[in-house]
Amino acid sequence: MPPADNCVGYEEAVGYLYGRIDYERIASNSSEHEFRLDRTAELFRSLGLTRYLHPSYRTDAENADRENQTTVPIVHVAGTKGKGSTTTMVSSILAAAGIKAGLYTSPHLTRLNERFRINGNPCSDEDLVRLVERVKPVVEEFDRLGQGLSFFELTTALAVLHFDLSGCDAIVLEVGLGGRLDSTNVCHSTVTAITSIGLDHQHVLGNTLEEIAREKAGIIKPSVPVVCGVRDAGPFRVIQEIAEQHRCSVLHIEDDFAADQIAETQCGTRFTYLERDAGTPNPKSKSVRSQKINAATESFDVDLPLIGRHQADNASVAITICRTLQQTQTFQERFAMLHERFAMHGTLLSSQAMQRGLDAVRCAGRLEKFVLPEDAFMDDFGTTLPNPTKLILDTAHNPDSIAALCSAIKSRVTNSTADAAMHRPIVLVFGTSRDKDVHVMAAQLVDVVDHVICTQYQTNPRAMPSQTVHDAFDQAKQNLTTERQISIEVEPNPNHALAIAAVRATDENHARPNSNLLATERGTVIVCGSFYLAGELRDQIVRRSRKPCDQIKLGTYTNRDFSPNG
């Protein structure tokens, strides 16, 4: 795609997109939001992407035209937590099988290009500029008609346009918010998945798990198979009812597939994937489930380079998505046309391809591991650390994802062997958004951390003031029923908060009230609370890390490099 004559620079292109209405930067009541999927569909049509639209968004003439029927399989994933990791895993598995896979996720951590990846590689600056130039005349026409397009509508269309122009063989779409009214929902999916249901974005999605489940289940399309990682009975019933209305098959975690024998390893997680054959009865009681899992018709072991037992569940959902995708007519027709590649790889999505793909998974900001050397802050703050400091960067930002983070911390800290991945004191750098339930998250975190530095991100108006964060943690501290001793301080500047945390984690004079370890052993810094906080700090962490920058760029950092000795 040649650049336009008036091609602007990268910063101008990104600025043009951010100049649109951006609901990611707004925390307001649902009545103030205007989600118009018919407008998104018209945007796709104007960009020549009609073939990617679901038939319900096409005209009768378009549906009758075979040239308007996409042959590209599309995986569509919603969920309160886990959807980012799951879509990344699916994309990595497809790439390992020799399939050119486009991946659209949101939000990004550091650069907008990260939202549009092909086989793990973010869209180049040059391609992003060309894409923006391509859509500008269309956007201006929408503006002229009084149909202003939002930032997310535009980035969704840009992603599919990028994948289309790049000749992708498959597309993986992560829902941005909810599902039913999300811009991605105009696409004609081949497999849909819902990873989890939790309380988040209640001002838009609803106040109960069942209400939120109904919004997320809005991605379910007639006769399109559904993979479901939701465990709670109430939300699952809602999903199951909607799937039945649309005559969809449902593969449910523990009923139809499972991650079994989950074990933490020094550099990740190991588990056995189990799958019940579609021809066997679908058990419903827990006792029967246990018998079913023992008699699984398909099983293989998986090593995952990601921390956390929850990632084993995410990986089992990703594997089931890929195994289901391979059985669809769209997938089989697509790769019948690409018969040479199919013949070369045999069964494209074999268990071997699954393991290769999962072994290559890199999820920036998902329990991402770094080591800060002694001189990490010398140039900026004149501070030398007495020991290298382990740091975990996580985008956990709601009670469910914080619970998963706390579980991972507990499993690592309580390991008394020499290869324990985390040592006390656990020093937390926390900042979140005004619309999040900070009191619930604080109550969860004070149970596992030793010191809290309350901060606030700087690049988005949704940031919760650091003093408000402090008050929530102080209340949680007062409500502790154990003898744990927690210290709390405020540093509004997240860069300064990071430096303070590294000092607190390694300072021999700093109290270690909850640790039986020697004072000479280094502690661990945890950064969490928001995508925006993680995004603001990640570049600094990368720059200060002892790992060479070319080893820890987004998508290429080697998790297996993280060890207690460096």
Side-chain angles (χ1 to χ4, degrees):
M1 180 173 59
D5 292 337
N6 63 337
C7 182
V8 296
Y10 174 79
E11 295 300 330
E12 289 83 356
V14 172
Y16 178 80
L17 294 174
Y18 278 129
R20 314 306 299 182
I21 300 170
D22 184 2
Y23 292 117
E24 291 177 8
R25 300 174 66 86
I26 298 174
S28 60
N29 295 324
S30 58
S31 59
E32 299 177 36
H33 291 257
E34 183 188 9
F35 298 111
R36 289 273 305 281
L37 295 194
D38 55 339
R39 184 178 56 206
T40 307
E42 187 57 37
L43 173 60
F44 271 57
R45 186 174 288 106
S46 300
L47 293 172
L49 302 173
T50 305
R51 60 190 171 278
Y52 293 97
L53 292 174
H54 187 267
S56 62
Y57 289 104
R58 300 190 202 129
T59 65
D60 291 341
E62 288 168 343
N63 280 322
D65 184 357
R66 291 296 298 173
E67 291 186 4
N68 278 321
Q69 315 305 311
T70 182
T71 60
V72 176
I74 297 176
V75 174
H76 197 195
V77 182
T80 302
K81 65 182 180 68
K83 62 183 184 292
S85 296
T86 300
T87 52
T88 300
M89 291 180 201
V90 171
S91 173
S92 188
I93 289 170
L94 294 174
I99 296 170
K100 190 173 186 179
L103 171 64
Y104 176 51
T105 60
S106 62
H108 59 275
L109 279 183
T110 54
R111 306 187 83 234
L112 189 139
N113 313 49
E114 299 162 18
R115 297 181 183 230
F116 325 128
R117 282 173 276 173
I118 298 177
N119 286 5
N121 298 310
C123 174
S124 70
D125 291 356
E126 295 79 10
D127 280 345
L128 184 61
V129 169
R130 295 186 184 106
L131 289 167
V132 171
E133 286 300 307
R134 175 90 170 241
V135 304
K136 282 176 70 176
V138 173
V139 173
E140 289 166 3
E141 180 61 18
F142 273 78
D143 288 344
R144 188 184 69 80
L145 297 172
Q147 296 290 320
L149 295 160
S150 72
F151 170 81
F152 194 76
E153 284 176 301
L154 274 179
T155 53
T156 300
L158 285 174
V160 177
L161 181 61
H162 178 50
F163 302 150
D164 181 68
L165 294 171
S166 302
C168 287
D169 296 325
I171 295 174
V172 185
L173 301 174
E174 177 194 3
V175 167
L177 175 65
R180 182 176 63 90
L181 296 176
D182 190 79
S183 297
T184 59
N185 206 26
V186 301
C187 294
H188 190 7
S189 53
T190 311
V191 175
T192 60
I194 302 174
T195 57
S196 66
I197 300 294
L199 293 174
D200 199 13
H201 299 291
Q202 291 99 311
H203 62 289
V204 176
L205 304 180
N207 294 314
T208 68
L209 294 179
E210 287 76 13
E211 289 175 340
I212 293 173
R214 191 165 299 280
E215 287 297 315
K216 295 187 184 295
I219 70 170
I220 295 174
K221 305 293 195 304
S223 302
V224 174
V226 179
V227 178
C228 185
V230 177
R231 295 180 182 275
D232 291 341
F236 176 62
R237 276 195 300 271
V238 172
I239 294 167
Q240 195 170 37
E241 288 170 5
I242 293 174
E244 289 175 355
Q245 292 169 11
H246 289 294
R247 299 178 181 274
C248 301
S249 62
V250 179
L251 294 171
H252 184 220
I253 194 166
E254 291 195 15
D255 282 336
D256 302 289
F257 64 93
D260 195 31
Q261 301 179 26
I262 303 172
E264 302 273 8
T265 64
Q266 182 174 339
C267 54
T269 309
R270 179 178 296 120
F271 68 96
T272 300
Y273 174 78
L274 303 177
E275 184 180 272
R276 180 186 63 82
D277 184 81
T280 61
N282 192 350
K284 293 300 178 186
S285 70
K286 284 189 174 294
S287 60
V288 178
R289 283 182 187 173
S290 177
Q291 295 172 16
K292 177 272 304 183
I293 288 176
N294 290 335
T297 56
E298 178 73 23
S299 68
F300 51 87
D301 295 331
V302 177
D303 277 306
L304 189 65
L306 299 175
I307 289 177
R309 297 174 67 87
H310 62 288
Q311 292 291 14
D313 276 352
N314 292 336
S316 70
V317 171
I319 292 170
T320 305
I321 289 171
C322 290
R323 292 175 66 82
T324 304
L325 179 66
Q326 186 161 238
Q327 298 170 10
T328 64
Q329 182 178 348
T330 302
F331 185 94
Q332 292 175 2
E333 288 180 352
R334 176 73 181 180
F335 292 101
M337 291 188 293
L338 300 173
H339 57 86
E340 289 186 8
R341 182 184 299 178
F342 191 93
M344 183 189 307
H345 289 273
T347 301
L348 276 179
L349 302 182
S350 63
S351 59
Q352 292 79 11
M354 305 275 187
Q355 180 59 73
R356 289 197 306 271
L358 292 175
D359 192 56
V361 164
R362 306 292 177 257
C363 291
R366 273 75 168 185
L367 284 163
E368 189 176 12
K369 301 157 289 190
F370 299 91
V371 178
L372 299 173
E374 292 92 330
D375 60 353
F377 298 96
M378 174 57 71
D379 292 343
D380 299 90
F381 300 101
T383 299
T384 300
L385 305 176
N387 291 295
T389 306
K390 294 178 183 179
L391 184 146
I392 304 294
L393 180 70
D394 198 71
T395 56
H397 60 279
N398 57 45
D400 282 344
S401 54
I402 291 293
L405 170 63
C406 290
S407 175
I409 294 173
K410 288 178 181 178
S411 68
R412 297 278 165 165
V413 170
T414 55
N415 180 356
S416 61
T417 63
D419 66 352
M422 302 179 195
H423 288 311
R424 292 197 182 279
I426 303 296
V427 180
L428 176 69
V429 177
F430 186 91
T432 193
S433 300
R434 286 183 283 115
D435 58 322
K436 302 300 180 183
D437 196 337
V438 66
H439 291 281
V440 172
M441 292 189 285
Q444 294 169 300
L445 287 162
V446 295
D447 193 43
V448 295
V449 304
D450 305 304
H451 190 90
V452 183
I453 302 175
C454 304
T455 190
Q456 63 190 79
Y457 51 81
Q458 307 293 304
T459 57
N460 190 304
R462 288 174 58 194
M464 181 178 289
S466 54
Q467 186 59 49
T468 304
V469 175
H470 173 276
D471 293 345
F473 273 94
D474 187 59
Q475 180 179 333
K477 174 183 175 181
Q478 302 306 320
N479 292 337
L480 276 175
T481 57
T482 65
E483 297 299 319
R484 288 185 52 76
Q485 299 179 41
I486 310 295
S487 52
I488 309 170
E489 61 184 300
V490 174
E491 173 47 68
N493 186 312
N495 295 323
H496 293 169
L498 183 67
I500 293 170
V503 172
R504 297 285 184 265
T506 55
D507 185 359
E508 293 185 16
N509 296 319
H510 186 63
R512 297 168 181 258
N514 305 307
S515 175
N516 294 321
L517 300 175
L518 298 175
T520 54
E521 292 181 316
R522 62 183 180 270
T524 305
V525 174
I526 308 287
V527 178
C528 72
S530 171
F531 267 93
Y532 303 113
L533 180 65
E536 286 185 16
L537 289 179
R538 190 179 186 278
D539 277 348
Q540 181 185 167
I541 292 168
V542 168
R543 177 170 61 84
R544 298 179 189 281
S545 172
R546 70 162 44 179
K547 301 297 179 185
C549 288
D550 62 352
Q551 289 184 352
I552 51 178
K553 290 178 182 176
L554 184 70
T556 59
Y557 177 59
T558 303
N559 288 277
R560 295 183 187 280
D561 287 343
F562 183 79
S563 67
N565 297 319

